[in-house]
Amino acid sequence: MSDEPADQSAAVVEHRNLIVAGSGIAGLSAAIYAARSNHEPLVLEGDEPGGQLTLTTDVENYPGFPEGISGPELVNNMKEQARTFGADVENGVIESVDASSRPFRVEMATGDVYTADAIIAASGASARTLDVPGEDELMGYGVSTCATCDGAFFRDEDMLVVGGGDAAMEEAHFLTKFADTVYVAHRRENFRAEEYWIDRVQAKVDEGEIEIMKNTELLEIHGSPEDGVDHVTLARNEEGYPSEKLDEPETEQFEFDVGAVFLAIGHTPNTEYLADTDVETDEEGYLVTKGGDGGGQTATDVPGIFGAGDVVDYHYQQAATAAGMGVKAALDADAYLEDNATAASEGTGEAVADD
Ligand SMILES: Cc1cc2nc3c(=O)[nH]c(=O)nc-3n(C[C@H](O)[C@H](O)[C@H](O)COP(=O)(O)OP(=O)(O)OC[C@H]3O[C@@H](n4cnc5c(N)ncnc54)[C@H](O)[C@@H]3O)c2cc1C
């Protein structure tokens, strides 16, 4: 958190009752509800309009679509629904929020500034990377954080998936559609994934489509942007976490031929733009909201700033749960704005965030 005063010189483009950071499922669900409450919310899309769900072709578990629906179609339907009720959805990345006075100043990467009486932070989470040599250079050229988006580009290649949680299992399972063999490198002995995914992956192991490499870590990716991934350097130690034990004689380092590498090692919440506020984050950077029962569950510890979706939720990270939190945030913001309006008309000062 910074004590630097924000630059107050930039001109204010517009004042809004409510600004929603993010046009993923959480932000758009919030926008639908807030628009129906006549708050005419402004949704700022960030650099991933529509959010993570635009990266997937089949969403089979979002309620109401027995045949499934594509991620982009679901998101576009929600945008249209939000606009129907009066929301504006616009391109733009929020650079910072100044919460030192009211209204909030929402400063955009372009230098534009909006003011807002309330903010819903629905800015999601971004895939993590490993920071190993070769990763940056080959990202998009054989290294990917999204199997659904990129798997088909590497048809008939051997592919490496790095990770041991649900995402890694799901990606490995999905990649068997395209890969010659999918290898899963996990730095520990046991997977963190749910039994459902472990069982599905095991079935593919039994069919010879997936091979599991336990206690194995990726050290380096070799190749070139022109020719893609050629091979990787891996380390294995039966006690786990081999990259921390490279000097031990039990640690084996070896080269391994694969044509693509998929990183499935979790997400980092997008909260940098709130760094100058007093909004609390946990040690992983996820927004901390009040939670519990009753109203105000999505309130952060800055009155008027609410959090919803994957930027808060490190556990469920599902479209339907993000939608539910978005709805709660809109209802909480509505109560806050109404209380503020009442307090202002009665001359009693600013309302607090929850009931
Ligand atoms: C490949 C893939 C497949 C998936 N499949 C499913 C599935 O089948 N079913 C399911 O339930 N879930 C699925 N998920 C998970 C689901 O997509 C997420 O749980 C959900 O998208 C979270 O929604 P969200 O609105 O919280 O965040 P996100 O979807 O991450 O959206 C965040 C939004 O915030 C914006 N943003 C970020 N920073 C800023 C900023 N500084 N200023 C302005 N805007 C900003 C981004 O541009 C984006 O628009 C999948 C995820 C992936 C990656």
Side-chain angles (χ1 to χ4, degrees):
M1 239 172 269
S2 155
D3 294 329
E4 292 288 309
D7 173 16
Q8 300 287 330
S9 60
V12 171
V13 174
E14 197 181 353
H15 176 77
R16 306 291 293 222
N17 269 7
L18 175 65
I19 284 182
V20 179
S23 62
I25 295 293
L28 292 172
S29 302
I32 292 167
Y33 270 66
R36 292 194 75 228
S37 304
N38 291 332
H39 291 304
E40 297 177 348
L42 172 62
V43 181
L44 296 165
E45 298 216 74
D47 55 14
E48 194 177 35
Q52 294 170 65
L53 221 51
T54 58
L55 303 176
T56 185
T57 42
D58 293 312
V59 183
E60 295 183 336
N61 53 9
Y62 197 83
F65 300 96
E67 309 293 329
I69 184 167
S70 87
E73 192 182 350
L74 178 59
V75 164
N76 285 336
N77 287 348
M78 292 177 81
K79 272 189 201 174
E80 196 183 321
Q81 195 175 357
R83 285 183 167 129
T84 302
F85 295 117
D88 291 319
V89 183
E90 289 180 9
N91 282 324
V93 176
I94 301 174
E95 183 83 15
S96 64
V97 170
D98 178 3
S100 61
S101 59
R102 298 294 186 275
F104 297 110
R105 285 173 65 88
V106 176
E107 308 187 359
M108 307 299 292
T110 55
D112 287 350
V113 175
Y114 294 92
T115 56
D117 296 320
I119 294 172
I120 294 176
S123 41
S126 300
R128 261 189 214 142
T129 53
L130 281 170
D131 206 20
V132 295
E135 182 185 70
D136 275 355
E137 183 197 355
L138 295 168
M139 187 62 73
Y141 301 97
V143 178
S144 170
T145 57
C146 178
T148 330
C149 323
D150 298 331
F153 297 131
F154 307 103
R155 209 171 278 275
D156 299 329
E157 303 263 18
D158 285 336
M159 304 184 190
L160 179 72
V161 173
V162 179
D166 286 346
M169 299 298 110
E170 188 175 355
E171 302 232 322
H173 189 272
F174 174 80
L175 288 170
T176 59
K177 286 181 201 223
F178 312 108
D180 184 1
T181 305
V182 178
Y183 296 88
V184 179
H186 179 44
R187 62 185 174 168
R188 297 192 295 137
E189 177 68 23
N190 298 315
F191 290 123
R192 281 177 290 107
E194 288 174 13
E195 284 305 316
Y196 169 83
W197 278 114
I198 292 175
D199 291 349
R200 292 192 75 182
V201 164
Q202 187 56 47
K204 292 287 184 188
V205 171
D206 296 342
E207 290 164 17
E209 294 187 51
I210 295 181
E211 273 189 37
I212 306 291
M213 305 165 99
K214 290 186 173 175
N215 302 309
T216 301
E217 269 180 289
L218 176 63
L219 298 184
E220 185 165 356
I221 308 168
H222 306 271
S224 67
E226 295 73 36
D227 299 322
V229 172
D230 180 67
H231 67 284
V232 294
T233 307
L234 300 174
R236 179 162 43 218
N237 181 307
E238 294 313 322
E239 301 298 316
Y241 299 96
S243 68
E244 294 169 14
K245 301 171 181 146
L246 292 179
D247 295 338
E248 294 181 9
E250 295 79 18
T251 304
E252 177 197 0
Q253 279 191 47
F254 56 103
E255 308 299 310
F256 196 77
D257 286 345
V258 285
V261 175
F262 290 88
L263 305 173
I265 51 170
H267 288 79
T268 303
N270 302 316
T271 53
E272 306 80 7
Y273 64 102
L274 294 170
D276 291 342
T277 70
D278 287 333
V279 166
E280 190 190 345
T281 53
D282 68 13
E283 64 276 7
E284 300 278 330
Y286 285 90
L287 293 187
V288 175
T289 51
K290 188 183 140 207
D293 299 324
Q297 289 177 32
T298 65
T300 66
D301 46 12
V302 174
I305 301 183
F306 303 86
D310 282 13
V311 71
V312 176
D313 168 25
Y314 58 86
H315 180 72
Y316 295 106
Q317 298 203 326
Q318 291 295 296
T321 52
M325 287 174 80
V327 170
K328 287 184 185 182
L331 295 172
D332 290 342
D334 179 51
Y336 172 84
L337 290 166
E338 294 294 327
D339 286 353
N340 261 2
T342 308
S345 68
E346 292 171 355
T348 53
E350 193 176 301
V352 289
D354 54 27
D355 65 0

